[in-house]
């Protein structure tokens, strides 16, 4: 298998680079044209055609379209297609996901299609089952396709949504203007768009939802970081009456009642009204407007009413049909059948930043002044002083955080103290003094940078600052027992009992995102709660 796509997992849409996704869409178009033309030769060029090649569907959450389009796509390939009936599986006896899927990997299955409420599950499984395959000398590496994980992502839905948009704008990647309407808070299909729409050179997104259903701030931030123009409206009515330039492409989602808390459920009728299309809106639409929906629609309260089905606005039926074509092509790529002709583009995938330095040593003598830190009235002769902690926060928050830093670095025993001071700029900052403390080791420095970025660490010897370091946020944080993603739905949260070590990466706007579920955390939030 020489293709870069072979045995690749798709956990989030960005697991495929922009250039890889653009290639994917050209292949989907090729397949769809061949289906329309009944060109068996071209269709055969996509087929895995191996009765021993195993594709396994595991749907731990309900589905019709994703499950059935994948099943039909897998059948297209003339391969072994299996399904785990989760309601009668040993998962219900308390077996871990890793054990279940390792076992299934051993039964000659190469691709797993997994839907779950647990976020980040396929990422974890792809790591675990790769190690299992290596340990057991399996002749293949199992690949995992995320068929929707909780509120997180739905990358294959994203692929079929984008393909359908592309069909309607002439397969042109130069720009897109799309309105996202509905439950943008809980809907994973719109979350995938924050990275998914990067395939277009210029992106304009109008978000239409009442406050309770508005897209989480982290995804809006991500869209802005990705260079998207983002506008926000609280209802369709407001959008059509105030927007200077309404979009022609409208992407609706249903209110995800099954993911809502009681507080929002009580207001569901009012909220639904704001995101449901009405007849009197029709005159405000631009010529050529098209509606899309990942489906299902709610049978009693569809946000796209059924009287629109027979109008030219209907893009959602073709969108659903495209789902099978996109999934056929994805299986062809991951199965190693096609993709050899793809020419990787430099920078396709972000470079590994693990080597980036985040503890910078500075010359104490060149610093403003090599001040003497004191232990009460006496100067500190040997020890450490951590300065500039949480500069700009309020004093109470600084004190709380200094307690966390002290605990995380194991500085709770011994002499010393903490105080909050106010600089000439009027801003508060925290200082931790630890006379007699041993100098921090490399691993401790990484913990310090993670829990107290933008502080300075002074190593005091003989009453002078002998070494001085400035900390910056590390690009990745992992391998510490006391890390914890705060998202209960995340596979790495201890509540899920899977024993997945938490791991975070730095985001461009200075957060730590969970490597599994993508949840943004501040540097104060990535730690297990302390009693
Ligand atoms: N669009 C979508 O994911 O539909 P299902 O929930 O029916 O799979």
């Amino acid at each position: 298998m020489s293709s870069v796509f072979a045995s690749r997992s798709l956990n989030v849409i960005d697991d495929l680079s922009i250039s890889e996704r653009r290639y994917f869409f050209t292949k989907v178009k090729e397949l769809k044209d061949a289906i329309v033309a009944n060109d068996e030769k071209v269709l055969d060029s996509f087929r895995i055609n191996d009765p021993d090649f195993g594709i396994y569907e595991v749907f731990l959450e309900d589905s019709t379209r994703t499950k059935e389009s994948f099943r039909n796509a897998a059948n297209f390939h003339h391969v072994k297609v299996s399904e785990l009936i989760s309601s009668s599986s040993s998962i219900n006896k308390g077996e871990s996901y890793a054990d279940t899927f390792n076992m299934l990997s051993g039964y000659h299955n190469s691709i797993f299609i997994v839907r779950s409420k647990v976020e980040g599950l396929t990422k974890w499984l792809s790591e675990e089952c790769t190690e299992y395959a290596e340990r057991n000398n399996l002749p293949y590496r199992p690949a995992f396709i995320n068929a929707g994980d909780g509120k997180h992502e739905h990358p294959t839905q994203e692929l079929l949504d984008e393909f359908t948009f592309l069909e309607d704008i002439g397969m042109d990647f130069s720009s897109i203007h799309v309105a996202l309407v509905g439950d943008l808070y809980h809907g994973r299909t719109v979350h995938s768009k924050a990275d998914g729409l990067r395939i277009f050179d210029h992106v304009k997104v109008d978000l239409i939802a009442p406050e309770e259903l508005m897209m989480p701030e982290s995804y809006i931030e991500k869209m802005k970081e990705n260079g998207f123009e983002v506008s926000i409206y609280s209802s369709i009515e407001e959008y059509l009456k105030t927007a200077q330039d309404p979009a022609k492409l409208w992407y609706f989602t249903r209110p995800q009642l099954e993911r809502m808390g009681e507080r929002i459920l009580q207001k569901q009728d009012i909220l639904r009204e704001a995101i449901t299309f009405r007849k009197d809106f029709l005159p405000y639409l631009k010529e050529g407007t098209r509606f899309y929906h990942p489906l299902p629609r709610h049978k009693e309260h569809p946000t796209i009413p059924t009287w629109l089905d027979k109008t030219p606005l209907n893009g959602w039926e073709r969108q659903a049909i495209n789902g099978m074509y996109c999934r056929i092509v994805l299986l062809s790529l991951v199965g190693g059948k096609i993709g050899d002709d793809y020419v990787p583009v430099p920078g396709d995938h972000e470079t590994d930043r693990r080597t980036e330095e985040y503890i910078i040593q500075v010359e104490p003598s060149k610093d403003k002044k090599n001040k003497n830190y004191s232990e009460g009235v006496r100067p500190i002769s040997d020890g450490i002083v951590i300065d500039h902690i949480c500069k700009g926060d309020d004093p109470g928050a600084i004190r709380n955080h200094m307690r966390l830093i002290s605990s995380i670095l194991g500085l709770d025993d011994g002499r010393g103290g903490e105080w909050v001071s106010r600089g000439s700029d009027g801003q508060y900052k925290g200082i931790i003094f630890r006379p007699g403390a041993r100098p921090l080791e490399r691993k401790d420095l990484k913990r310090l940078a993670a829990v107290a970025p933008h502080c300075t660490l002074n190593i005091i010897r003989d009453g002078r600052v002998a070494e001085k370091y400035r900390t910056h946020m590390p690009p990745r944080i992992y391998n510490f027992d006391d890390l914890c993603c705060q998202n209960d739905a995340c596979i790495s949260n201890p509540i899920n009992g899977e024993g997945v070590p938490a791991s975070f990466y730095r985001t461009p706007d200075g957060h730590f995102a969970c490597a599994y579920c993508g949840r943004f955390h501040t540097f104060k939030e990535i730690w297990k709660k302390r009693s």
Side-chain angles (χ1 to χ4, degrees):
M1 283 184 183
S2 57
S3 151
V4 296
F5 298 97
S7 301
R8 284 263 293 278
S9 287
L10 181 64
N11 307 303
V12 291
I13 191 66
D14 247 6
D15 284 341
L16 292 174
S17 72
I18 292 173
S19 153
E20 287 169 345
R21 278 180 259 161
R22 287 179 174 182
Y23 170 84
F24 168 87
F25 294 123
T26 62
K27 298 310 278 186
V28 179
K29 173 137 181 34
E30 194 181 315
L31 176 97
K32 189 168 175 179
D33 289 348
I35 286 173
V36 172
N38 203 12
D39 187 335
E40 274 302 322
K41 191 158 174 269
V42 173
L43 294 180
D44 265 345
S45 71
F46 282 89
R47 275 205 176 93
I48 297 172
N49 219 358
D50 175 354
D52 291 329
F53 188 98
I55 297 182
Y56 226 106
E57 285 201 318
V58 182
F59 278 69
L60 304 168
E61 193 186 63
D62 297 343
S63 168
T64 301
R65 268 143 296 274
T66 313
K67 184 175 173 183
E68 299 307 326
S69 63
F70 258 125
R71 191 210 303 273
N72 283 281
N75 284 330
F76 166 94
H77 282 285
H78 300 167
V79 295
K80 181 181 73 159
V81 184
S82 312
E83 179 188 354
L84 183 78
I85 308 299
S86 60
S87 59
S88 56
S89 82
S90 289
I91 290 175
N92 302 315
K93 298 179 193 168
E95 183 173 39
S96 73
Y97 293 117
D99 278 357
T100 301
F101 282 85
N102 278 340
M103 202 47 57
L104 297 177
S105 301
Y107 300 157
H108 224 112
N109 292 298
S110 301
I111 302 180
F112 290 91
I113 298 151
V114 183
R115 171 172 286 192
S116 169
K117 285 187 171 61
V118 181
E119 299 177 15
L121 179 58
T122 55
K123 178 171 167 57
W124 166 239
L125 292 174
S126 59
E127 292 164 4
E128 269 296 289
C129 294
T130 296
E131 286 181 19
Y132 177 89
E134 282 165 6
R135 278 201 302 277
N136 291 284
N137 297 318
L138 299 183
Y140 48 85
R141 292 289 165 270
F144 286 80
I145 296 175
N146 176 6
D149 59 339
K151 297 197 288 285
H152 183 213
E153 280 222 26
H154 195 346
T156 64
Q157 179 72 46
E158 183 59 20
L159 292 173
L160 75 93
D161 292 346
E162 286 169 19
F163 179 72
T164 314
F165 297 155
L166 279 164
E167 281 189 317
D168 289 336
I169 56 175
M171 300 302 285
D172 177 2
F173 293 101
S174 61
S175 72
I176 190 165
H177 180 189
V178 61
L180 305 180
V181 192
D183 186 350
L184 310 183
Y185 184 82
H186 301 92
R188 56 196 171 202
T189 66
V190 286
H191 298 167
S192 286
K193 288 187 170 38
D195 280 325
L197 294 173
R198 290 169 63 227
I199 58 159
F200 298 97
D201 295 334
H202 183 257
V203 181
K204 217 171 145 187
V205 181
D206 300 331
L207 304 175
I208 305 172
E211 197 185 340
E212 292 85 344
L213 302 182
M214 185 41 75
M215 188 169 274
E217 196 53 41
S218 58
Y219 288 105
I220 298 178
E221 271 306 308
K222 199 189 256 192
M223 286 184 167
K224 289 179 180 166
E225 274 158 20
N226 286 335
F228 300 3
E229 271 180 61
V230 182
S231 306
I232 292 178
Y233 302 87
S234 63
S235 67
I236 296 177
E237 184 154 15
E238 183 200 329
Y239 182 54
L240 286 173
K241 295 195 171 155
T242 65
Q244 305 282 319
D245 173 33
K248 280 192 185 177
L249 310 181
W250 289 48
Y251 185 90
F252 285 78
T253 63
R254 77 188 161 88
Q256 310 245 313
L257 303 177
E258 71 278 22
R259 302 186 206 285
M260 289 179 184
E262 201 44 48
R263 188 182 63 83
I264 301 182
L265 272 176
Q266 280 170 2
K267 295 168 75 177
Q268 59 176 290
D269 292 340
I270 303 165
L271 299 177
R272 193 184 295 111
E273 210 177 296
I275 53 174
T276 299
F277 197 80
R278 297 198 311 253
K279 266 204 177 87
D280 58 298
F281 293 153
L282 278 173
Y284 294 91
L285 294 180
K286 276 186 172 168
E287 181 74 29
T289 295
R290 183 89 16 106
F291 288 177
Y292 309 89
H293 196 306
L295 307 177
R297 284 185 290 185
H298 192 281
K299 62 185 174 190
E300 286 170 39
H301 307 291
T303 51
I304 299 181
T306 50
W307 56 264
L308 285 168
D309 289 4
K310 295 190 181 109
T311 70
L313 289 168
N314 185 342
W316 59 91
E317 289 177 350
R318 182 168 39 87
Q319 182 188 357
I321 293 167
N322 283 340
M324 187 178 78
Y325 303 147
C326 287
R327 286 164 177 140
I328 287 174
V329 172
L330 185 62
L331 294 175
S332 299
L333 286 166
V334 178
K337 179 65 183 178
I338 60 168
D340 289 355
D341 59 336
Y342 172 74
V343 182
V345 172
D348 247 358
H349 293 280
E350 263 194 342
T351 50
D352 191 343
R353 292 179 299 176
R354 265 174 289 190
T355 52
E356 180 189 310
E357 202 39 83
Y358 44 85
I359 316 270
I360 311 290
Q361 186 161 15
V362 290
E363 281 292 326
S365 54
K366 289 190 184 139
D367 204 40
K368 265 195 301 194
K369 53 179 184 233
N370 189 0
K371 58 186 164 192
N372 291 320
Y373 288 103
S374 55
E375 178 188 4
V377 290
R378 274 188 301 155
I380 295 176
S381 61
D382 293 282
I384 62 173
V385 175
I386 305 167
D387 200 350
H388 299 281
I389 294 167
C390 295
K391 189 161 186 227
D393 281 3
D394 67 71
I398 294 173
R399 278 199 185 88
N400 281 341
H401 195 60
M402 286 198 290
R403 276 194 283 278
L404 181 69
I405 295 170
S406 177
S407 162
I408 279 170
L409 294 176
L411 297 175
D412 282 347
D413 298 330
R415 308 202 312 269
E418 291 85 39
W419 88 45
V420 174
S421 70
R422 192 174 193 185
S424 53
D425 56 3
Q427 292 196 318
Y428 293 100
K429 64 168 187 169
I431 308 176
I432 297 178
F433 298 85
R434 288 295 181 272
R438 60 174 172 78
L440 301 180
E441 292 171 5
R442 176 77 197 168
K443 199 168 181 191
D444 299 319
L445 289 178
K446 184 169 185 180
R447 288 167 79 77
L448 174 66
V451 72
H454 318 300
C455 76
T456 54
L457 168 68
N458 301 277
I459 312 283
I460 316 284
R461 280 190 216 107
D462 300 326
R464 304 286 294 167
V465 178
E467 292 169 44
K468 190 177 189 100
Y469 299 89
R470 287 196 206 291
T471 62
H472 299 276
M473 286 181 82
R476 289 187 60 201
I477 294 288
Y478 56 103
N479 254 349
F480 294 133
D481 289 345
D482 50 357
L483 293 174
C484 180
C485 172
Q486 303 302 325
N487 175 9
D488 286 352
C490 177
I491 186 68
S492 75
N493 188 298
I495 213 167
N496 289 306
E498 192 78 10
V500 180
S503 169
F504 298 89
Y505 61 90
R506 190 183 64 207
T507 66
D509 72 339
H511 284 88
F512 283 121
C514 171
Y516 293 98
C517 72
R519 169 76 66 94
F520 276 30
H521 299 70
T522 67
F523 61 87
K524 298 176 182 175
E525 292 169 337
I526 59 174
W527 310 96
K528 279 183 183 156
K529 298 266 181 292
R530 284 164 155 74
S531 47

